[in-house]
Every structure is written in C-alpha cells, then in structure tokens.
Amino acid sequence: MTASDKLIELMRLPAKSAVVIYKPSNMFYLTEGYTGEGVVFISAKRRVIVTDFRYTEQAERQAPGFEVMMSCKDTPENQWIARLAAGEEVNEIRFEADELSVDRFEKLRTAVGEEFSWVPVDRAPEKLRQVKTPKEIAVMRRAADITSEAFRAILPKIREGMTEKELQIELDFTMLRLGADGLAFDTIIASGENGSLCHAIPGQRRLRAGDMITMDFGAKAGGYCSDMTRTVALGEPSAQMRHVYDTVLRAQTMCEEALAAGKSCASIDKLARDYIDSRGYAGRFGHGLGHSVGIDIHEGPNLNYASKDTLVPGVVITVEPGVYLPGIGGVRVENTCLVKENGCEPLTTADKELIIL
C-alpha cells in the first residue's frame, strides 16, 4: 500500500473529497520521493503534482506514480486545483490548516469556488509518518551512522584555541564528506559557560582547557534526519561538571533502557526529571526529554510531561536529558532510538562515556 493510499484509508476519504498538500515534508512522504515545490492533489482516483517548469521533470523522475501538471502564467497553481476538483466532481477539499496562511487559503478558495466544503486534514499525514516502515528505518540508520562516524572523526581535530564556529564548520564538512545529503538542522556547538544555552549559536568563543563542549548535530540522508548530542571535555573537567556529566549520562541511560512499546511518553520523561532533581539539579532540566525524528527533525510523538501519547513499535525518537547551569556550563547526551516491542535499538552508535581530549 502506498503512502497516499494509507492517507485515504486513515481519513476515510469519501469519493467526492480530495486532499491538497503543500507542506514539503508531507509532499515528500506522500509522493514517496518528490523534493520540489508546488502542491499535491490526492483523490480516490487521482494522484497529481502541480508544479512549475523548474520541477516538472524532477517530479516525473522522483514520483513516477503521480501525474505531473505544469503551472504557468496562463494556468497558475490554484487554477489547476480548480480544474482537478471540477474534473473529479468533488464537493469537499481537505487542506493543511497549519501550513497555509490566511491569504494563501483565501486565494485558493476563491479560485476553486465558495461552494466547496473546506475541512482541515488535522495533521493526518504527520500521524502516518510517526511509525516508520522498514525502508525508512534503513535510511535513518544510514543517516545515524554518518552522524556517529562524523563525531568519531572530529575528536582528533578539537584543539585549544579553535573557535566554536571553526569546530562547527569542521563537523558540518565531515558529515558531508562522509555522505550526508545535507544537515538535519543547524549544528550547535556550546563550550564552557555557553553550555548552559540549550540552543547555543556557535560563535567566536575560543575553546579553553577544562571546557565541557556540547555538540548537537545530525546528518540528513535519503530525505531523513538523524540527531545526536555529545558533550566532551577538553582536558580535565571540574569536579562539579564531572558530577553533572555523570548525572546526565545516568538519566539518559535509564530512560533509553526504559523505552519500549506500550510505555507512556510522559512516564519516560518523568523518569529522567525525577532522577536529575534528586541529584541536586531541580529546575536545571527545562526542556522535554525527546522528540521523534524523520523527514523533519522534530516530529511526533514527544517525550515530555504534557504528552498523552503511548509509544508503539516503529517510532524513532530521541532521548536527550541535559543539565544547564547559567554562568558555568552544561551537559546534554542524546541518542536517537528505534522503539521496539520489548525495548529499543539506539540508531546512534557513538560512545556515550565521558571523553577527555
């Protein structure tokens, strides 16, 4: 069954309804490979990509199961949607309310016709994307392997006096050299006191002896993301920061070992939070424990206190506790893990023990 067939089944799409998809990650998923721009039209009978001259040949190559219609000045994108809707005699169109701006939606509705019913898809494609297929898992394993190997390769290059920005550039280049198609997100490098910034932007701070250096990065391969974080020490760390590291590593390991189908996301998050609090760092772990990964770097479900989700086999999710001490520094350790029936498999293979360079 194709991804578009799964969407129709999940939504129980009536014969007189159609779906229009604009979000690039959902377009990629539902067409099983298209990476260009435009809009995807799906009905009970038709699968269509509407795009302009720049992407028509690409669409034909990447999504052979879809028809490709070329938009132009005389027949713009919205007009194509109107034609397809009329041709299929649909009276209801389902759309991504979280993707279209009010202006873009109003223009689409005006072009297609006010008489149609407009119904949000309610993130139905994203719900399908939560459980990865064996093919998707194989691609994600490759992305994770590239990321782990990049970490191992970068360690000998970390030296006192280099800037965070220089380390970021080296790490990014290493992932690309090892086969990444691109970066899953902007690499985070946080050294010394900057380690207390969860999403620090690498800057001109120079690495110094005794620094803890947090590196949060990921390769993208075959359209899928990887995500890992390691914190290393440049020379012997302080006793305080070693205690922080031991705390974070233990919390990460405990939660990874607890990860399994049937577990509630909130309970896994609580396990890490309670342990970190008990070690004297209450209030210094302020983000969720983890997020799912896939075509986008942040997908659902999430490991956090507010989640109502229960884990199922095939979910790929991060486990990334941290402790952040303003003015002093911080530590985060993160693996990306595949949830299985009776446990999990870490896709991240790099060593988690404290590395002192």
Side-chain angles (χ1 to χ4, degrees):
M1 183 180 289
T2 66
S4 57
D5 290 336
K6 291 178 183 177
L7 180 68
I8 289 174
E9 182 179 87
L10 176 65
M11 299 180 67
R12 298 179 182 177
L13 195 71
K16 295 295 184 179
S17 296
V19 183
V20 289
I21 298 294
Y22 291 86
K23 192 176 296 184
S25 53
N26 285 339
M27 290 171 61
F28 176 83
Y29 175 76
L30 292 168
T31 62
E32 300 180 22
Y34 177 56
T35 58
E37 298 178 6
V39 57
V40 168
F41 177 94
I42 296 173
S43 68
K45 297 179 181 178
R46 299 188 75 174
R47 311 285 189 275
V48 182
I49 296 170
V50 179
T51 190
D52 62 64
F53 175 82
R54 297 171 298 165
Y55 298 103
T56 50
E57 183 181 0
Q58 178 180 329
E60 289 166 353
R61 291 186 183 188
Q62 292 181 327
F66 279 67
E67 303 173 69
V68 179
M69 307 297 182
M70 187 171 73
S71 59
C72 59
K73 181 178 68 174
D74 295 330
T75 313
E77 185 179 273
N78 287 343
Q79 192 58 48
W80 266 116
I81 298 301
R83 287 188 182 184
L84 290 166
E88 292 297 293
E89 298 181 341
V90 303
N91 53 31
E92 177 189 82
I93 295 181
R94 303 193 184 188
F95 69 102
E96 297 163 304
D98 61 329
E99 176 69 12
L100 291 183
S101 66
V102 173
D103 179 68
R104 194 173 184 185
F105 172 69
E106 290 299 335
K107 288 177 179 177
L108 173 63
R109 185 166 64 173
T110 298
V112 175
E114 298 287 341
E115 68 275 11
F116 284 79
S117 296
W118 296 86
V119 180
V121 297
D122 193 25
R123 299 182 65 82
E126 286 88 342
K127 291 172 185 174
L128 285 174
R129 287 165 49 190
Q130 289 186 4
V131 177
K132 272 57 180 182
T133 65
K135 181 179 178 181
E136 289 177 301
I137 292 167
V139 175
M140 295 190 71
R141 195 186 304 279
R142 176 169 168 263
D145 285 344
I146 292 170
T147 307
S148 296
E149 181 57 31
F151 172 71
R152 289 185 281 264
I154 201 70
L155 291 177
K157 298 182 180 181
I158 299 175
R159 65 188 185 280
E160 190 174 351
M162 77 186 304
T163 67
E164 293 173 338
K165 190 67 179 177
E166 288 169 339
L167 178 52
Q168 177 203 5
I169 292 168
E170 287 281 356
L171 186 50
D172 290 352
F173 174 75
T174 300
M175 286 188 283
L176 294 171
R177 181 175 57 80
L178 289 171
D181 299 331
L183 306 180
F185 54 94
D186 291 340
T187 295
I188 295 168
I189 305 291
S191 63
E193 68 279 1
N194 289 341
S196 65
L197 305 174
C198 303
H199 281 183
I201 298 172
Q204 296 307 311
R205 185 190 184 281
R206 295 188 180 278
L207 308 184
R208 298 194 291 263
D211 278 350
M212 300 292 275
I213 306 165
T214 297
M215 297 174 281
D216 188 344
F217 58 103
K220 193 161 191 175
Y224 287 80
C225 298
S226 60
D227 192 0
M228 70 172 278
T229 305
R230 290 294 184 268
T231 301
V232 301
L234 185 57
E236 189 65 33
S238 68
Q240 180 184 26
M241 292 309 297
R242 184 179 280 275
H243 186 266
V244 170
Y245 193 95
D246 291 344
T247 298
V248 172
L249 178 60
R250 179 58 184 153
Q252 198 282 333
T253 301
M254 287 168 55
C255 292
E256 191 174 290
E257 291 174 348
L259 207 65
K263 297 286 188 69
S264 75
C265 291
S267 70
I268 304 294
D269 177 270
K270 187 175 186 301
L271 183 64
R273 211 161 298 281
D274 287 350
Y275 178 72
I276 289 172
D277 288 355
S278 75
R279 294 274 285 181
Y281 300 112
R284 303 320 318 158
F285 171 36
H287 57 74
L289 178 65
H291 57 88
S292 292
V293 180
I295 300 168
D296 291 325
I297 190 60
H298 290 105
E299 299 188 352
N302 297 306
L303 299 176
N304 61 45
Y305 73 92
S307 176
K308 304 299 183 185
D309 293 314
T310 299
L311 294 169
V312 297
V315 166
V316 177
I317 198 163
T318 68
V319 180
E320 50 178 306
V323 169
Y324 311 93
L325 306 178
I328 299 173
V331 171
R332 183 165 65 253
V333 177
E334 172 188 22
N335 276 356
T336 295
C337 302
L338 169 64
V339 177
K340 295 188 170 184
E341 195 66 51
N342 298 308
C344 79
E345 176 193 353
L347 300 183
T348 309
T349 58
D351 189 10
K352 294 190 298 186
E353 297 299 323
L354 177 60
I355 295 172
I356 300 177
L357 302 172

